[in-house]
Amino acid sequence: MKFLRLEFQAFGSYPNREVVDFTTLEQKGLFVVTGPTGSGKTTIFDALAYALFNELPGERSGQGAEHRSQHARPEHRTEVTLDFEVDNTHYRVTRTPRQERQKLKGSGVTKEDPTASLVKVVNGTEQPVTTGAEKVEKECKALVGLSASEFQRVVLLPQGRFTQFLLATEGQREELLGQLFDGQTYKTALAHLKDEAARLGKEVG
């Protein structure tokens, strides 16, 4: 999977519409999201996770999770759109959370239900894939090949864990990587291969 473009409005710490074009960094192969504490770095990763899996990472997830920026203007709708590529196919997922907005006529506000859509983009034209929060989440999981928790472990390395990783000893680093990437599958495979090697060695002997 490759991220192409992220666009969000009135989301997290950003009250206005913001665009992150990942394709401008494509030639570099590696880039960093950096800035002072509180500058909104985490919100970018929150938007990625929300677009794909309909939840915020870590302790901020759950039914009561707050997606809307507290600084957004009332008429600005909270929404996130992510363009990504899987097997050379361009997809676009768009989500809006449950939110209040100004009424189109008269004064006051009205509650708006959450929405979600997933489309293929072929030669600039959108081709519908599915709609609805649960269906879009299921389709995105299949496309990405990761669950929300796996995505958070592999893609969104927790900030506190990063410092811990840099200062860890070799043994501690191995244990920490095992927690982050869930290496039990590989440990099981390694144990199986060792057992097979021992069995075949005895058979040859």
Side-chain angles (χ1 to χ4, degrees):
M1 182 193 70
K2 180 168 65 175
F3 296 131
L4 301 176
R5 186 177 186 272
L6 175 67
E7 181 175 349
F8 53 89
Q9 176 178 269
F11 181 85
S13 57
Y14 292 90
N16 301 313
R17 182 172 296 276
E18 308 291 341
V19 175
V20 181
D21 186 356
F22 294 100
T23 60
T24 61
L25 305 167
E26 209 168 23
Q27 301 303 319
K28 301 297 182 182
L30 182 67
F31 58 91
V32 62
V33 177
T34 184
T37 300
S39 61
K41 301 183 298 296
T42 300
T43 301
I44 294 174
F45 297 110
D46 285 351
L48 292 172
Y50 171 64
L52 292 171
F53 304 107
N54 193 32
E55 66 176 69
L56 299 179
E59 298 176 355
R60 287 160 296 151
S61 62
Q63 293 288 338
E66 182 59 49
H67 303 84
R68 184 169 175 79
S69 171
Q70 297 178 358
H71 308 288
R73 295 170 64 98
E75 66 269 20
H76 286 177
R77 189 184 192 210
T78 298
E79 60 183 357
V80 176
T81 298
L82 173 64
D83 285 57
F84 62 100
E85 187 177 286
V86 175
D87 295 332
N88 295 318
T89 302
H90 183 170
Y91 294 91
R92 178 174 296 148
V93 57
T94 301
R95 287 189 191 273
T96 65
R98 180 173 284 104
Q99 59 189 303
E100 291 184 346
R101 63 168 175 79
Q102 283 188 323
K103 291 182 177 179
L104 298 177
K105 294 183 179 180
S107 59
V109 297
T110 183
K111 290 185 178 180
E112 192 174 87
D113 289 332
T115 65
S117 67
L118 178 67
V119 300
K120 283 184 184 179
V121 182
V122 181
N123 297 324
T125 301
E126 294 186 351
Q127 299 179 355
V129 176
T130 190
T131 59
E134 292 184 3
K135 290 181 179 179
V136 169
E137 179 186 350
K138 183 178 179 180
E139 192 68 31
C140 284
K141 283 181 179 178
L143 289 169
V144 175
L146 297 170
S147 66
S149 60
E150 290 168 341
F151 179 83
Q152 291 171 34
R153 280 202 304 269
V154 175
V155 179
L156 310 181
L157 181 66
Q159 295 182 37
R161 294 285 188 90
F162 185 67
T163 302
Q164 183 182 348
F165 177 75
L166 291 177
L167 301 177
T169 64
E170 184 176 345
Q172 292 171 333
R173 193 175 292 121
E174 181 179 351
E175 181 181 355
L176 181 58
L177 285 173
Q179 294 173 359
L180 288 172
F181 298 106
D182 192 14
Q184 185 57 48
T185 300
Y186 304 102
K187 288 183 179 180
T188 302
L190 180 61
H192 171 72
L193 291 173
K194 285 182 176 180
D195 290 343
E196 278 296 285
R199 182 184 66 79
L200 292 171
K202 289 180 181 179
E203 191 174 298
V204 171

